[in-house]
Amino acid sequence: MKKRILAALLSATMILGMLAGCATSGSGDADSGSGESEDGTVTLTFLNKYPEDPYAQYFVDAVAQFEEENPDIKIEMENVSDEAMKDKLSVIASGGEMPDIYFTWTGERTVRFARNDMALDLTPYFEEDPEWAESFLPAFFNNVTYEGKTWAVPFRSSIMYMIYNKQVFEEYDLEIPETWDELIAICDKLAETDVIPIAFGNSQPWYGSWWIGELNAMMVPKDVMTKDYTTGEGEFTDEAYVEAVQTFLDMNEKGYFGDHVNSKDYYQVREQFCAGQAAMMLDATAQFTQFDDGMGAENWGYFKVPVMEGAAGDPGTISGGAEAWIVSKNTKHPEEAIKFLKFMTSLEQGQKQTKEAGLPNTLVGGITAENATPATEEAYAEAAESYTNIADWLDCAIEASIADQYMVSLQEGLDGKSAEDVMADVQAAAAKVKAE
C-alpha cells in the first residue's frame, strides 16, 4: 500500500524546485574521450561520484555485469568524491572535453551543462522509449529538464529529515517536536547538558546550504523564491531571506550546534551523533544506512522538519533532490551510452542499487521492503503523504556563483558577519549574474 501511495502522490503533487579515483575495465582517465578498437569494441568513459564502500563495489559490480552482457562495450569508470567532483567538473568543462557519461546534481547543476552545449539532448531517446521515461518518479525526473527538453538521467534520490538519537530523547524525556517552537524548546533544554542539541559542522559549506535552503523554503514566499532561484532573474531582496539567515545564526549563537562549527565537517559531526554526543542531525534519506551502520537501526529515528508557525513559505515543501548522469554532446557513441544508462536505471538494477549500496533510486516501485531498510521505505511513503513539493538543494537550485557566495557568506556569518551583510553579498552576486 505504501508503495502505491508513494508512486501516486509523488507523481501527482511533488515538483522539484531542484576527486581521487579508481578505474574499472581498461585504463586511463574518464575525461580522455571514447574510442573504438580494431575489433569494433566501443569504450565509453564514465565519471562517477562514489569511490567509498559500500557504494564503490556496487558500481564496480554493475559495470562488470553490463560488460559481460555487452562484450562489445567497455566502460572506463573513474570514481571521485563529492567535494572533489565539483572541482573536477569545473576543470574538465573549462577544457571542453567531457567524458562520454558524467555525474551531475539536478537543478541548475544540470541546466548549466545544457546551456553551455555540453549535454546531449536525451528527449528523442525518451520519446522513442516512453516506458523508460515513465519508469521514473516525476518528482525526480522533472528537474533534469530545461526549455522543454530532458538533459540527464536521474538515478539517486534524497529527501531531508531530522534524525534523532532515541536513547538521548528517552534519557531527557523528550517528545518528537511537531512545531518549530517545540524544536527550539528541545534545543534550549539540551543546551544546559553535555549533549549537543544538533550535530552540525560547516568546514565544507555545502552542509550550511542544506540548512539555509530548508529555512528559505519555510520562511520565504514560494513565488518569491521561485523567481529568485531562476538564473538571471534572482534578486534575493525579500526581507524573509535575512530572517532565514538570522534564524540560522541565532541557533549557532545559542550553542545549538556546539562550538567551532566552521572547523568541523559533516562526516565528523555525523560520527559525533552516532556516538551519542548529539541529539539530532539534519540529514537525508540517502544517508539512512550510514546511521544503521554507525549506531544500529534500533537506536535512531527520524521526524519531519517542524514547520514554523506563521512563516510565509510553503509548509508542504521540504529540501531534497536527485543525482543524475549526463551524456556528453560530443560523445562518438550515443547509442551505446544510452544502452548503458538504460541498464543502470532499469527497475532490477535500481532496486539492486538501493539494496546493495543503500542509495535510494528514482524509480516507480523502486523503494520496497525487500531492498530498503524499514526507515527508508517508511520515509518515502511519509514524504508522499506529508509534502506537496520537494525543493532542490540550495547549492543545486541556484546559479553556481550565487550559491558559492551564499555558502561562503554563511560561513562568515557563523564567525560573526551579520545576516544583513550575508544577504548583501548574495544580492551583489545575483545582480552580477542578472547583468551578464
Side-chain angles (χ1 to χ4, degrees), residues 5-143:
I5 293 172
L6 174 63
L9 291 180
L10 279 172
S11 299
T13 62
M14 297 167 84
I15 303 173
L16 277 171
M18 20 176 331
L19 279 132
C22 61
T24 69
S25 181
S27 60
D29 294 331
D31 52 351
S32 60
S34 59
E36 185 172 341
S37 65
E38 292 183 1
D39 64 0
T41 300
V42 168
T43 297
L44 297 174
T45 52
F46 174 37
L47 178 61
N48 201 26
K49 195 209 72 165
Y50 288 98
E52 310 91 354
D53 284 328
Y55 314 127
Q57 191 59 51
Y58 161 73
F59 287 105
V60 168
D61 292 343
V63 166
Q65 181 181 341
F66 175 80
E67 291 179 335
E68 183 177 354
E69 295 177 6
N70 300 272
D72 57 336
I73 304 175
K74 296 298 178 185
I75 306 296
E76 206 170 78
M77 179 171 65
E78 182 184 3
N79 253 335
V80 298
S81 63
D82 187 279
E83 279 301 302
M85 175 61 81
K86 296 167 187 175
D87 294 334
K88 178 84 172 179
L89 287 172
S90 295
V91 169
I92 60 177
S94 64
E97 189 67 38
M98 305 302 291
D100 294 293
I101 303 164
Y102 56 96
F103 171 93
T104 187
W105 292 268
T106 52
E108 169 63 21
R109 288 184 181 269
T110 289
V111 171
R112 63 179 178 172
F113 290 110
R115 276 201 310 266
N116 288 288
D117 210 26
M118 293 181 176
L120 182 68
D121 177 9
L122 303 181
T123 310
Y125 299 97
F126 284 113
E127 290 176 344
E128 290 171 6
D129 190 350
E131 186 176 344
W132 186 34
E134 292 166 6
S135 69
F136 297 93
L137 290 164
F140 300 110
F141 192 64
N142 291 344
N143 216 36

Side-chain angles (χ1 to χ4, degrees), residues 3 367-374 377:
K3 289 179 280 184
I367 308 292
T368 71
E370 288 70 38
N371 72 347
T373 65
E377 186 196 15

Side-chain angles (χ1 to χ4, degrees), residues 37 62 82 94 110 122 130 148 178 227 258 279 294 307 322 324 331 334 340 410 416 433 435:
S37 65
D82 187 279
S94 64
T110 289
L122 303 181
E178 296 184 0
K227 179 179 182 296
V307 173
T331 183
F340 176 62
L410 281 173
V433 170

